[in-house]
Amino acid sequence: MRIAVLLYPDFTALDAVGPYEVLSRIPGAEVVFTAARRGPVRTDMTSLAITADAALDEVDSADLLLVPGGPGTEAQLGDPAVLEWVRAVNATTTWTTSVCSGSLILGAAGLLKGRRATSHWGVLDGLPRFGAEPTGTERVVMDGKYATAAGVSAGIDLALTLTGLIAGDATAQAIQLLIEYDPQPPYASGSIAKASPEVIEGAKRLLAA
Amino acid sequence: MRIAVLLYPDFTALDAVGPYEVLSRIPGAEVVFTAARRGPVRTDMTSLAITADAALDEVDSADLLLVPGGPGTEAQLGDPAVLEWVRAVNATTTWTTSVCSGSLILGAAGLLKGRRATSHWGVLDGLPRFGAEPTGTERVVMDGKYATAAGVSAGIDLALTLTGLIAGDATAQAIQLLIEYDPQPPYASGSIAKASPEVIEGAKRLLAA
C-alpha cells in the first residue's frame, strides 16, 4: 500500500507523525513524505523539520493520501499547485484523509462538497465555505472514502481506525500494542466539551501567540 | 526553558514528536534536536527523517533532556560518545526523561542505578542490568528528576505530566486542548495487561519483522 503524506511549511508535526507511526507498520506499507520541493520542511513550532523525500511532481498516485494541518494550512488554500496535486492524487486513492485543519485543504480542493467532515475545534467553522458539513462531536469522521480527524492527536485514532479497515482488526490491535497506545492523560481537558471556560481561553491565548 | 532531544539512527519518530508537540508549546520553551552530526536522521520505519539542528558537541547543557527509544537504541548502549554526552547534559538538567527503550540509554549512562523506571514492554527486562528497578504497570514513572515513559505513545502522557509540574496545571490543560488530546482508541489492546495472547503474539511478530 502506497501512502503519500503532504508536507508544507508550518504544518503541525504530530498531525503527520501520529498517523505515520501506525500506518507505516501495516505490512507492505510504503510511505512517501511529499512537499513542493524535496528537503527539510519546518513545522509550526520551528525547532523541528521533517524531510520531504519527494517533490509533488514526483508523486502522482497513492492508495492513501494523508493531509496534516497546522498554522500553515491557510497559505495552502490559495496555492493552485498544491490543490491540483491533492485533486490528482485523490483521483487514484482508496482513502483520502486529513488531520486537524488539513480538512480545509481537502475542502479547498473541492473534495468535501456535501460531505460530513471534522477539523481542529479552532477552525471547524471554516468547513462550510467549502460545502462540507462540520461535525464537532466525533473525533474521526468517515464519509465514503474521506476520513477526517479532529485536532492533532486525533490522527492516531484515525490511523488505527483505518488500519482496522485496511488490514483487519488483528493487525490494528497488534500495532496499537506495538506503540503501547493505552492513553492515560493526566487531565481531562482534551476537547471543547470537556475543558473548562478558563482552559479554553488559555488554549486560545496559546493559539494566538 | 531549554529542551534537548537526542536523535540517533532508527529511533522511533513518535517517541520524540509526541512529547515535542506538548513541551515545545510551553511558553519560553526552546527545543533543539541533537545527534552525532547535524542533518537528517532516519527513523526506524525508514521513510521518515527528522533534522538534527545541532551536533552533540554543540549542546552541553539543557533544562530538560529527552531520550527517545526505538530499534536503534541497542547500538547507542555501547557508544561512549553518546553516553558521555547524556551524562554531561544530565549534570545540568532539572528533568532527565526518556520514552520507550530510551530508558536503556539513560541506564547505560549510569543514571538509573537504584531508581524505579519503565520502558517499552518488549525491553522492560533490560533495565535491571543497569541497576534500575523496572515497573511494568505504570505508564509514566517519576523517580527524583528522572521521568521515564512506557512505549512510544506514552511520551505524550509523560510530557503533559511534566508540563503540569513545570508550567502549572492551567498551561498543561490548555496544551492538552490545543492538541485535542481526548484519546478514543478504537480498540482496547494498548497494553500487555489489556491485549489478548493473540494480539501480543501478533505484535511480537511485527516487532521481529
Side-chain angles (χ1 to χ4, degrees):
Chain A
M1 185 180 58
R2 292 165 313 129
I3 299 169
V5 183
L6 174 67
L7 300 184
Y8 51 84
D10 298 329
F11 75 102
T12 298
L14 188 56
D15 289 21
V17 173
Y20 168 77
E21 205 60 84
V22 173
L23 298 172
S24 66
R25 294 173 193 277
I26 297 175
E30 293 173 21
V31 185
V32 60
F33 286 88
T34 313
R37 281 175 299 278
R38 288 190 189 198
V41 182
R42 282 281 147 191
T43 68
D44 52 354
M45 302 309 287
T46 71
S47 41
L48 189 153
I50 289 179
T51 302
D53 284 320
L56 294 181
D57 60 11
E58 297 177 289
V59 175
D60 60 6
S61 64
D63 300 306
L64 190 153
L65 170 64
L66 173 70
V67 178
T73 296
E74 194 63 31
Q76 308 307 308
L77 303 183
D79 186 326
V82 167
L83 300 182
E84 184 47 51
W85 182 82
V86 167
R87 270 191 294 271
V89 173
N90 174 68
T92 73
T93 61
T94 305
W95 295 102
T96 292
T97 75
S98 66
V99 178
C100 200
S101 60
S103 56
L104 299 180
I105 296 176
L106 299 186
L111 307 183
L112 296 181
K113 277 176 196 145
R115 295 192 180 274
R116 296 172 68 253
T118 194
S119 196
H120 189 278
W121 53 266
V123 296
L124 206 51
D125 59 4
L127 281 169
R129 64 171 154 152
F130 302 119
E133 180 194 328
T135 149
T137 52
E138 292 158 83
R139 192 159 166 83
V140 174
V141 175
M142 317 282 289
D143 188 338
K145 76 171 187 177
Y146 299 93
T148 56
V152 194
S153 62
I156 301 173
D157 294 330
L158 167 84
L160 279 171
T161 302
L162 287 169
T163 299
L165 295 168
I166 292 166
D169 290 342
T171 297
Q173 288 171 297
I175 291 173
Q176 182 184 9
L177 180 55
L178 259 191
I179 66 162
E180 211 157 347
Y181 186 49
D182 178 31
Q184 296 169 23
Y187 308 99
S189 61
S191 76
I192 287 287
K194 294 177 180 172
S196 70
E198 294 73 26
V199 167
I200 294 172
E201 281 313 303
K204 285 180 176 171
R205 278 196 302 274
L206 283 178
L207 259 187
Chain B
M1 185 181 57
R2 294 165 311 129
I3 299 169
V5 183
L6 174 67
L7 300 183
Y8 50 85
D10 298 329
F11 75 103
T12 298
L14 187 56
D15 290 20
V17 173
Y20 168 79
E21 205 61 85
V22 173
L23 298 171
S24 66
R25 295 174 191 277
I26 297 175
E30 292 174 21
V31 185
V32 60
F33 286 87
T34 314
R37 280 175 299 279
R38 287 189 190 200
V41 182
R42 282 281 147 192
T43 68
D44 53 353
M45 301 310 288
T46 72
S47 41
L48 189 154
I50 289 179
T51 302
D53 283 321
L56 294 181
D57 60 10
E58 296 178 289
V59 175
D60 60 6
S61 65
D63 299 307
L64 190 153
L65 169 64
L66 173 70
V67 179
T73 295
E74 193 63 31
Q76 308 307 308
L77 302 183
D79 186 325
V82 167
L83 300 183
E84 184 48 50
W85 181 83
V86 168
R87 269 189 295 272
V89 173
N90 175 68
T92 74
T93 62
T94 305
W95 296 102
T96 293
T97 74
S98 66
V99 178
C100 201
S101 59
S103 56
L104 299 181
I105 296 176
L106 299 186
L111 306 183
L112 296 182
K113 280 177 193 142
R115 294 192 181 274
R116 298 171 67 254
T118 195
S119 197
H120 190 278
W121 54 265
V123 297
L124 206 52
D125 59 3
L127 282 169
R129 65 171 153 151
F130 302 118
E133 180 193 329
T135 149
T137 52
E138 292 158 84
R139 193 159 165 83
V140 174
V141 175
M142 317 282 288
D143 187 339
K145 77 171 186 177
Y146 299 93
T148 55
V152 194
S153 63
I156 301 173
D157 294 331
L158 167 84
L160 280 170
T161 302
L162 287 169
T163 299
L165 295 168
I166 292 166
D169 290 343
T171 297
Q173 288 170 299
I175 292 173
Q176 182 184 9
L177 180 55
L178 259 190
I179 67 163
E180 213 158 346
Y181 185 50
D182 177 30
Q184 295 170 26
Y187 307 100
S189 61
S191 75
I192 285 288
K194 294 177 179 172
S196 70
E198 293 72 27
V199 167
I200 295 172
E201 280 313 303
K204 286 181 177 172
R205 278 195 302 275
L206 283 178
L207 259 187

PDB file of all heavy atoms in Angstrom, chain A residues 3 22 26 31 35 42 48 59-60 66 73 76 101 106 113 124 126 138 141 145 152 159 190:
ATOM      1  N   ILE A   3       1.392   5.112   0.573  1.00  0.00           N
ATOM      2  CA  ILE A   3       0.817   6.192   1.374  1.00  0.00           C
ATOM      3  C   ILE A   3       1.588   7.473   1.085  1.00  0.00           C
ATOM      4  O   ILE A   3       2.812   7.501   1.216  1.00  0.00           O
ATOM      5  CB  ILE A   3       0.913   5.861   2.876  1.00  0.00           C
ATOM      6  CG1 ILE A   3       0.133   4.569   3.181  1.00  0.00           C
ATOM      7  CG2 ILE A   3       0.424   7.028   3.728  1.00  0.00           C
ATOM      8  CD1 ILE A   3       0.391   4.011   4.569  1.00  0.00           C
ATOM      9  N   VAL A  22       1.497   4.620  12.973  1.00  0.00           N
ATOM     10  CA  VAL A  22       0.560   3.492  12.862  1.00  0.00           C
ATOM     11  C   VAL A  22       0.584   2.919  11.446  1.00  0.00           C
ATOM     12  O   VAL A  22       0.839   1.732  11.236  1.00  0.00           O
ATOM     13  CB  VAL A  22      -0.868   3.948  13.227  1.00  0.00           C
ATOM     14  CG1 VAL A  22      -1.884   2.845  12.964  1.00  0.00           C
ATOM     15  CG2 VAL A  22      -0.921   4.398  14.689  1.00  0.00           C
ATOM     16  N   ILE A  26       1.753  -1.133   8.874  1.00  0.00           N
ATOM     17  CA  ILE A  26       0.919  -2.106   8.155  1.00  0.00           C
ATOM     18  C   ILE A  26       1.836  -2.881   7.206  1.00  0.00           C
ATOM     19  O   ILE A  26       2.571  -2.274   6.428  1.00  0.00           O
ATOM     20  CB  ILE A  26      -0.194  -1.392   7.346  1.00  0.00           C
ATOM     21  CG1 ILE A  26      -1.141  -0.648   8.283  1.00  0.00           C
ATOM     22  CG2 ILE A  26      -0.959  -2.402   6.498  1.00  0.00           C
ATOM     23  CD1 ILE A  26      -2.201   0.182   7.550  1.00  0.00           C
ATOM     24  N   VAL A  31       5.574   4.529   2.642  1.00  0.00           N
ATOM     25  CA  VAL A  31       5.163   5.914   2.886  1.00  0.00           C
ATOM     26  C   VAL A  31       6.139   6.854   2.181  1.00  0.00           C
ATOM     27  O   VAL A  31       7.351   6.645   2.226  1.00  0.00           O
ATOM     28  CB  VAL A  31       5.163   6.239   4.392  1.00  0.00           C
ATOM     29  CG1 VAL A  31       4.602   7.641   4.636  1.00  0.00           C
ATOM     30  CG2 VAL A  31       4.352   5.204   5.169  1.00  0.00           C
ATOM     31  N   ALA A  35       6.437  17.190  -0.652  1.00  0.00           N
ATOM     32  CA  ALA A  35       6.250  18.636  -0.477  1.00  0.00           C
ATOM     33  C   ALA A  35       6.570  19.345  -1.788  1.00  0.00           C
ATOM     34  O   ALA A  35       6.992  18.718  -2.756  1.00  0.00           O
ATOM     35  CB  ALA A  35       7.144  19.156   0.642  1.00  0.00           C
ATOM     36  N   ARG A  42      10.011  22.790   7.688  1.00  0.00           N
ATOM     37  CA  ARG A  42       9.890  23.227   9.090  1.00  0.00           C
ATOM     38  C   ARG A  42       8.450  23.146   9.572  1.00  0.00           C
ATOM     39  O   ARG A  42       7.539  23.555   8.855  1.00  0.00           O
ATOM     40  CB  ARG A  42      10.340  24.676   9.260  1.00  0.00           C
ATOM     41  CG  ARG A  42      11.816  24.931   9.284  1.00  0.00           C
ATOM     42  CD  ARG A  42      12.461  24.607  10.623  1.00  0.00           C
ATOM     43  NE  ARG A  42      13.813  24.139  10.319  1.00  0.00           N
ATOM     44  CZ  ARG A  42      14.627  23.555  11.199  1.00  0.00           C
ATOM     45  NH1 ARG A  42      14.267  23.394  12.453  1.00  0.00           N
ATOM     46  NH2 ARG A  42      15.808  23.128  10.834  1.00  0.00           N
ATOM     47  N   LEU A  48      11.593  21.916  14.711  1.00  0.00           N
ATOM     48  CA  LEU A  48      11.562  20.565  14.135  1.00  0.00           C
ATOM     49  C   LEU A  48      11.341  20.651  12.640  1.00  0.00           C
ATOM     50  O   LEU A  48      10.499  21.421  12.170  1.00  0.00           O
ATOM     51  CB  LEU A  48      10.448  19.734  14.790  1.00  0.00           C
ATOM     52  CG  LEU A  48      10.400  18.239  14.479  1.00  0.00           C
ATOM     53  CD1 LEU A  48       9.737  17.485  15.634  1.00  0.00           C
ATOM     54  CD2 LEU A  48       9.648  17.939  13.216  1.00  0.00           C
ATOM     55  N   VAL A  59       5.191  12.464  -7.346  1.00  0.00           N
ATOM     56  CA  VAL A  59       4.178  11.538  -6.800  1.00  0.00           C
ATOM     57  C   VAL A  59       2.858  11.851  -7.496  1.00  0.00           C
ATOM     58  O   VAL A  59       2.319  12.944  -7.331  1.00  0.00           O
ATOM     59  CB  VAL A  59       4.036  11.719  -5.275  1.00  0.00           C
ATOM     60  CG1 VAL A  59       2.898  10.851  -4.732  1.00  0.00           C
ATOM     61  CG2 VAL A  59       5.351  11.380  -4.569  1.00  0.00           C
ATOM     62  N   ASP A  60       2.352  10.913  -8.291  1.00  0.00           N
ATOM     63  CA  ASP A  60       1.098  11.206  -8.990  1.00  0.00           C
ATOM     64  C   ASP A  60      -0.043  10.277  -8.586  1.00  0.00           C
ATOM     65  O   ASP A  60      -1.146  10.385  -9.127  1.00  0.00           O
ATOM     66  CB  ASP A  60       1.307  11.169 -10.507  1.00  0.00           C
ATOM     67  CG  ASP A  60       1.792   9.815 -10.986  1.00  0.00           C
ATOM     68  OD1 ASP A  60       1.861   8.884 -10.150  1.00  0.00           O
ATOM     69  OD2 ASP A  60       2.107   9.685 -12.181  1.00  0.00           O
ATOM     70  N   LEU A  66      -2.655  11.385   2.993  1.00  0.00           N
ATOM     71  CA  LEU A  66      -2.834  11.993   4.324  1.00  0.00           C
ATOM     72  C   LEU A  66      -2.409  13.455   4.280  1.00  0.00           C
ATOM     73  O   LEU A  66      -1.276  13.764   3.892  1.00  0.00           O
ATOM     74  CB  LEU A  66      -1.981  11.251   5.362  1.00  0.00           C
ATOM     75  CG  LEU A  66      -1.958  11.890   6.764  1.00  0.00           C
ATOM     76  CD1 LEU A  66      -3.306  11.750   7.455  1.00  0.00           C
ATOM     77  CD2 LEU A  66      -0.861  11.270   7.624  1.00  0.00           C
ATOM     78  N   THR A  73      -1.701  25.820   7.106  1.00  0.00           N
ATOM     79  CA  THR A  73      -2.799  25.407   6.222  1.00  0.00           C
ATOM     80  C   THR A  73      -3.316  26.565   5.376  1.00  0.00           C
ATOM     81  O   THR A  73      -3.513  26.432   4.161  1.00  0.00           O
ATOM     82  CB  THR A  73      -3.971  24.844   7.060  1.00  0.00           C
ATOM     83  OG1 THR A  73      -3.531  23.660   7.726  1.00  0.00           O
ATOM     84  CG2 THR A  73      -5.156  24.513   6.184  1.00  0.00           C
ATOM     85  N   GLN A  76      -1.900  27.302   2.108  1.00  0.00           N
ATOM     86  CA  GLN A  76      -2.070  26.266   1.074  1.00  0.00           C
ATOM     87  C   GLN A  76      -3.411  26.394   0.359  1.00  0.00           C
ATOM     88  O   GLN A  76      -3.565  25.934  -0.773  1.00  0.00           O
ATOM     89  CB  GLN A  76      -1.962  24.857   1.697  1.00  0.00           C
ATOM     90  CG  GLN A  76      -0.726  24.633   2.538  1.00  0.00           C
ATOM     91  CD  GLN A  76       0.549  24.984   1.810  1.00  0.00           C
ATOM     92  OE1 GLN A  76       0.780  24.509   0.693  1.00  0.00           O
ATOM     93  NE2 GLN A  76       1.367  25.823   2.411  1.00  0.00           N
ATOM     94  N   SER A 101      -6.593  20.867  10.777  1.00  0.00           N
ATOM     95  CA  SER A 101      -7.033  21.784   9.719  1.00  0.00           C
ATOM     96  C   SER A 101      -6.693  21.287   8.321  1.00  0.00           C
ATOM     97  O   SER A 101      -7.031  21.954   7.327  1.00  0.00           O
ATOM     98  CB  SER A 101      -6.428  23.174   9.944  1.00  0.00           C
ATOM     99  OG  SER A 101      -5.025  23.107   9.932  1.00  0.00           O
ATOM    100  N   LEU A 106      -8.425  19.687   1.939  1.00  0.00           N
ATOM    101  CA  LEU A 106      -9.309  18.797   1.149  1.00  0.00           C
ATOM    102  C   LEU A 106     -10.526  19.588   0.667  1.00  0.00           C
ATOM    103  O   LEU A 106     -10.960  19.435  -0.485  1.00  0.00           O
ATOM    104  CB  LEU A 106      -9.766  17.601   1.987  1.00  0.00           C
ATOM    105  CG  LEU A 106      -8.694  16.651   2.529  1.00  0.00           C
ATOM    106  CD1 LEU A 106      -9.360  15.443   3.199  1.00  0.00           C
ATOM    107  CD2 LEU A 106      -7.749  16.177   1.423  1.00  0.00           C
ATOM    108  N   LYS A 113     -17.462  18.543  -0.767  1.00  0.00           N
ATOM    109  CA  LYS A 113     -18.792  19.118  -1.022  1.00  0.00           C
ATOM    110  C   LYS A 113     -19.903  18.139  -0.637  1.00  0.00           C
ATOM    111  O   LYS A 113     -19.939  17.006  -1.122  1.00  0.00           O
ATOM    112  CB  LYS A 113     -18.929  19.485  -2.499  1.00  0.00           C
ATOM    113  CG  LYS A 113     -18.315  20.831  -2.824  1.00  0.00           C
ATOM    114  CD  LYS A 113     -18.375  21.147  -4.321  1.00  0.00           C
ATOM    115  CE  LYS A 113     -17.422  22.293  -4.635  1.00  0.00           C
ATOM    116  NZ  LYS A 113     -16.784  22.162  -5.955  1.00  0.00           N
ATOM    117  N   LEU A 124     -13.150  24.706  12.901  1.00  0.00           N
ATOM    118  CA  LEU A 124     -14.277  23.876  12.438  1.00  0.00           C
ATOM    119  C   LEU A 124     -15.261  24.698  11.602  1.00  0.00           C
ATOM    120  O   LEU A 124     -15.847  24.196  10.633  1.00  0.00           O
ATOM    121  CB  LEU A 124     -14.974  23.298  13.676  1.00  0.00           C
ATOM    122  CG  LEU A 124     -15.755  22.003  13.580  1.00  0.00           C
ATOM    123  CD1 LEU A 124     -14.940  20.885  12.934  1.00  0.00           C
ATOM    124  CD2 LEU A 124     -16.185  21.565  14.981  1.00  0.00           C
ATOM    125  N   GLY A 126     -14.657  26.788   9.512  1.00  0.00           N
ATOM    126  CA  GLY A 126     -14.136  27.077   8.177  1.00  0.00           C
ATOM    127  C   GLY A 126     -14.586  26.058   7.141  1.00  0.00           C
ATOM    128  O   GLY A 126     -14.419  26.277   5.937  1.00  0.00           O
ATOM    129  N   GLU A 138     -17.605  14.254  16.825  1.00  0.00           N
ATOM    130  CA  GLU A 138     -16.904  13.000  16.547  1.00  0.00           C
ATOM    131  C   GLU A 138     -15.427  13.263  16.322  1.00  0.00           C
ATOM    132  O   GLU A 138     -15.061  14.241  15.680  1.00  0.00           O
ATOM    133  CB  GLU A 138     -17.485  12.338  15.290  1.00  0.00           C
ATOM    134  CG  GLU A 138     -18.896  11.823  15.468  1.00  0.00           C
ATOM    135  CD  GLU A 138     -19.589  11.694  14.119  1.00  0.00           C
ATOM    136  OE1 GLU A 138     -19.397  10.691  13.436  1.00  0.00           O
ATOM    137  OE2 GLU A 138     -20.298  12.653  13.736  1.00  0.00           O
ATOM    138  N   VAL A 141     -14.257  11.195  11.520  1.00  0.00           N
ATOM    139  CA  VAL A 141     -15.481  11.221  10.710  1.00  0.00           C
ATOM    140  C   VAL A 141     -15.202  10.536   9.375  1.00  0.00           C
ATOM    141  O   VAL A 141     -14.291  10.921   8.642  1.00  0.00           O
ATOM    142  CB  VAL A 141     -15.964  12.672  10.475  1.00  0.00           C
ATOM    143  CG1 VAL A 141     -17.171  12.694   9.534  1.00  0.00           C
ATOM    144  CG2 VAL A 141     -16.315  13.338  11.802  1.00  0.00           C
ATOM    145  N   LYS A 145     -14.945   7.483   1.054  1.00  0.00           N
ATOM    146  CA  LYS A 145     -13.506   7.220   1.204  1.00  0.00           C
ATOM    147  C   LYS A 145     -12.796   8.363   1.930  1.00  0.00           C
ATOM    148  O   LYS A 145     -11.585   8.341   2.070  1.00  0.00           O
ATOM    149  CB  LYS A 145     -12.868   6.974  -0.158  1.00  0.00           C
ATOM    150  CG  LYS A 145     -12.636   8.209  -1.022  1.00  0.00           C
ATOM    151  CD  LYS A 145     -11.794   7.836  -2.243  1.00  0.00           C
ATOM    152  CE  LYS A 145     -11.396   9.068  -3.048  1.00  0.00           C
ATOM    153  NZ  LYS A 145     -10.511   8.731  -4.190  1.00  0.00           N
ATOM    154  N   VAL A 152      -4.833  17.503  15.820  1.00  0.00           N
ATOM    155  CA  VAL A 152      -3.503  16.982  16.142  1.00  0.00           C
ATOM    156  C   VAL A 152      -3.462  15.504  16.558  1.00  0.00           C
ATOM    157  O   VAL A 152      -3.250  14.626  15.725  1.00  0.00           O
ATOM    158  CB  VAL A 152      -2.834  17.872  17.215  1.00  0.00           C
ATOM    159  CG1 VAL A 152      -1.336  17.566  17.315  1.00  0.00           C
ATOM    160  CG2 VAL A 152      -2.991  19.373  16.862  1.00  0.00           C
ATOM    161  N   ALA A 159      -5.831   6.770  12.330  1.00  0.00           N
ATOM    162  CA  ALA A 159      -4.965   5.778  11.684  1.00  0.00           C
ATOM    163  C   ALA A 159      -5.268   4.361  12.168  1.00  0.00           C
ATOM    164  O   ALA A 159      -5.236   3.409  11.377  1.00  0.00           O
ATOM    165  CB  ALA A 159      -3.499   6.130  11.933  1.00  0.00           C
ATOM    166  N   GLY A 190      -9.179  17.557  27.017  1.00  0.00           N
ATOM    167  CA  GLY A 190      -8.725  17.373  25.639  1.00  0.00           C
ATOM    168  C   GLY A 190      -9.739  17.725  24.568  1.00  0.00           C
ATOM    169  O   GLY A 190      -9.430  17.625  23.381  1.00  0.00           O
TER     170      GLY A 190
END
